[in-house]
Amino acid sequence: MPIPCDVAILGGGTGGYVAAIRAAQLGKKVVIIEKDKLGGTCLHRGCIPSKALLKSAEMYAEILDSESYGIETTGAALVFPKVQARKDAIVDQLHKGVQYLMQKNKIEVVHAKGRVIGPSIFSPQSGAVAVEFEDGEMDTVVPTNLIIATGSRPRMLPGLEPDGRYIMSSDEALRMDELPGSILIVGGGVIGLEWASMLNDFGVVVTVIEAADHVLPAEDEDVAKEMQRLLGKRGVRFLTGAKLITDSYRTEDQSVHIDVQLAGDNLETLTADKMLVSIGRQANVENIGLENTDIKVERGYITVNKYLQTGEGHIYAIGDCIGGLQLAHAASHEGILAVNHLAGESVHPVETHRIPRCVYTRPEAASIGFTEKEARERGYEIKTGKFPFQAIGKSLIHGSRDGFVKVIADNKTNDILGVHMIGTHVTELIAEASLAQMLDATPWEVGQTIHPHPSLSEIMGEAMLAVDGKAIGM
């Protein structure tokens, strides 16, 4: 029996279920089609479980360093199965929360595989979704508007696909029963560095292989270099500007072996217990029926306009499947924007450079806006301010002297072009910079905001004042 609705959402991840809630708030009848669990990658295979593991790693590192706080401990032991159990409990609790939100907002959830179909007896236009349940039964969801939110999966290197024992993507790494003694991490981007930081804190010997000249190639170079320095100081080995010779991969003596080409064409054979391939994510655009529509896919991502409409105006696409910043909060924002637009509400298109980016390593990194290089390439005449955490009392109280906040501003208009930070809990500070950009605040205005003392937030005011050479604390 066909299921008619106002809005159907193909994919129940963060972007999908947030879009569903917003549509329900606007009085729409909503159906989510999800073949797995509500919450998608973020809740089950990404943001939440990885940050739960990172917190346990941070706690373990602090316990081992407790003497510096005047606390002597003996017998501290890492019990990894309990670490995993804590992670699973957090995921389970949040999953139940999402299920409750669906019930509360009267959103129908169809647990099945979905495939977009063209014009048919069900609808004169494409956008209906044929659904196939686990028992083989079929049905059709017939919406007025469709939102595609199918997400992404780890991108893999040919010849280095997960094998269940030696090679992992982040999906398999999250399900490890025990920690390896050593690991090779292919890719020095956000996900690779978070795993490097976590596993290093857990006592694993870590080597990171990155093709670019430095890690975090999408971030401001000052932050990237500081991150590499601080993780290197902890014992993480970095091979940058390196080319992995995938054909050389082999397993011997219960270890992985692979050759890497370094600067000057020098070859080195790397050996470790396991390998984690972390080279980005690939959109889930295959086998969802796009060929039955006028939707275009370019470079592996669904093409959309500024209002997130595809080549067919009544069909929208959001989140990882459209590329851009593949972040859960970006997908959520896009979901709300798409729903508001299809409902005729006033909307402001997403500006990618105004989406905050976070790296949950130890120390953390966060940013919003243009890097210094990007600002210069766009022709801005810039001025910058930088303030160190070693001059912030609360950072010393937390036990850290490392890191800084860097502000990039337009010398002509005084607009804030970018804010980049590395240090203790900076992922909790970047929202102030995000708000400042949304309100078109100047560095002076943020600098005049009263920040409580002692707090880490004081560094925001100081860094803003530093743009014009007026920082108080140094």
Side-chain angles (χ1 to χ4, degrees):
M1 187 79 175
I3 306 171
C5 61
D6 298 315
V7 179
I9 300 170
L10 184 57
T14 307
Y17 79 72
V18 169
I21 293 170
R22 178 58 185 150
Q25 289 175 341
L26 292 173
K28 304 291 185 182
K29 181 181 179 182
V30 187
V31 173
I32 285 181
I33 302 136
E34 172 55 55
K35 64 181 181 180
D36 199 351
K37 295 180 179 179
L38 288 171
T41 293
C42 176
L43 178 53
H44 300 284
R45 299 177 298 281
C47 319
I48 298 302
S50 64
K51 277 56 184 178
L53 294 181
L54 279 159
K55 181 59 181 179
S56 291
E58 177 190 9
M59 288 296 296
Y60 185 55
E62 289 194 357
I63 289 170
L64 295 181
D65 188 45
S66 64
E67 192 170 341
S68 68
Y69 295 86
I71 302 169
E72 295 182 0
T73 58
T74 56
L78 173 64
V79 184
F80 194 64
K82 290 185 177 180
V83 171
Q84 288 283 40
R86 176 180 182 271
K87 174 209 71 179
D88 293 341
I90 292 169
V91 170
D92 184 59
Q93 179 179 340
L94 292 174
H95 181 224
K96 290 177 180 176
V98 175
Q99 292 174 309
Y100 164 75
L101 289 173
M102 298 301 99
Q103 296 171 0
K104 174 187 174 185
N105 290 281
K106 298 180 173 59
I107 296 165
E108 182 176 354
V109 180
V110 175
H111 290 287
K113 293 180 180 179
R115 186 180 179 87
V116 185
I117 59 177
S120 66
I121 59 172
F122 302 108
S123 174
Q125 62 183 2
S126 59
V129 181
V131 295
E132 180 181 358
F133 298 93
E134 284 189 358
D135 61 6
E137 291 293 315
M138 302 286 292
D139 211 333
T140 305
V141 177
V142 186
T144 303
N145 290 102
L146 172 65
I147 298 176
I148 299 172
T150 48
S152 66
R153 62 189 184 276
R155 187 183 300 278
M156 300 307 299
L157 284 170
L160 296 179
E161 293 85 1
D163 61 6
R165 181 173 182 182
Y166 293 111
I167 301 177
M168 304 180 291
S169 71
S170 55
D171 287 356
E172 291 78 27
L174 286 168
R175 299 194 296 267
M176 285 190 294
D177 295 325
E178 58 183 12
L179 291 167
S182 58
I183 193 166
L184 304 178
I185 298 180
V186 181
V190 174
I191 297 173
L193 287 200
E194 288 182 352
W195 278 99
S197 178
M198 175 209 306
L199 293 173
N200 172 266
D201 275 341
F202 280 147
V204 178
V205 177
V206 178
T207 300
V208 177
I209 304 135
E210 170 57 45
D213 293 335
H214 57 77
V215 298
L216 299 178
E219 295 301 323
D220 190 85
E221 193 169 336
D222 287 351
V223 170
K225 287 182 176 179
E226 180 71 353
M227 179 68 76
Q228 186 168 326
R229 184 186 73 83
L230 292 174
L231 290 182
K233 187 178 177 180
R234 282 168 44 190
V236 176
R237 185 188 181 199
F238 290 98
L239 300 175
T240 55
K243 180 182 178 181
L244 206 64
I245 312 299
T246 56
D247 291 344
S248 69
Y249 171 75
R250 58 203 180 277
T251 59
E252 295 176 8
D253 300 325
Q254 298 185 328
S255 299
V256 299
H257 303 260
I258 195 165
D259 297 336
V260 61
Q261 183 176 316
L262 306 174
D265 292 333
N266 295 322
L267 280 178
E268 180 177 342
T269 299
L270 303 176
T271 302
D273 294 337
K274 289 186 183 293
M275 177 187 295
L276 170 64
V277 178
S278 177
I279 57 170
R281 297 188 64 83
Q282 180 176 348
N284 294 324
V285 295
E286 307 91 347
N287 303 315
I288 59 172
L290 297 184
E291 66 277 7
N292 300 320
T293 72
D294 291 330
I295 296 172
K296 294 182 179 179
V297 176
E298 295 181 0
R299 297 185 298 277
Y301 299 103
I302 296 174
T303 300
V304 294
N305 65 14
K306 64 181 180 180
Y307 299 114
L308 303 166
Q309 292 169 293
T310 67
E312 304 213 20
H314 63 291
I315 303 178
Y316 294 72
I318 64 170
D320 287 8
C321 68
I322 66 171
L325 291 178
Q326 294 178 306
L327 303 169
H329 49 281
S332 297
H333 186 79
E334 290 163 358
I336 292 171
L337 188 153
V339 170
N340 285 344
H341 186 262
L342 68 85
E345 300 281 314
S346 176
V347 298
H348 299 281
V350 177
E351 295 180 89
T352 301
H353 70 280
R354 293 197 174 190
I355 299 173
R357 310 177 296 273
C358 297
V359 188
Y360 296 86
T361 43
R362 184 175 68 86
E364 294 179 339
S367 61
I368 190 169
F370 301 129
T371 65
E372 182 173 342
K373 180 181 179 182
E374 289 170 338
R376 293 188 189 279
E377 289 175 345
R378 283 166 171 75
Y380 288 105
E381 180 185 328
I382 68 169
K383 54 183 178 179
T384 64
K386 186 185 285 188
F387 198 87
F389 270 105
Q390 67 179 358
I392 299 296
K394 191 61 177 292
S395 185
L396 301 183
I397 291 168
H398 275 293
S400 175
R401 299 172 178 269
D402 299 316
F404 56 82
V405 172
K406 175 182 178 180
V407 179
I408 303 164
D410 188 330
N411 194 45
K412 295 180 179 178
T413 66
N414 239 14
D415 289 339
I416 297 171
L417 299 175
V419 180
H420 307 272
M421 52 185 75
I422 178 170
T424 300
H425 301 310
V426 295
T427 61
E428 305 297 337
L429 302 181
I430 195 63
E432 182 177 357
S434 182
L435 179 61
Q437 278 208 329
M438 189 188 77
L439 297 177
D440 288 326
T442 65
W444 181 85
E445 288 171 323
V446 179
Q448 294 304 305
T449 302
I450 299 174
H451 295 84
H453 175 80
S455 72
L456 295 174
S457 69
E458 291 176 89
I459 199 169
M460 286 296 295
E462 291 280 25
M464 295 289 177
L465 292 174
V467 169
D468 293 308
K470 297 179 180 178
I472 299 298
M474 63 174 290

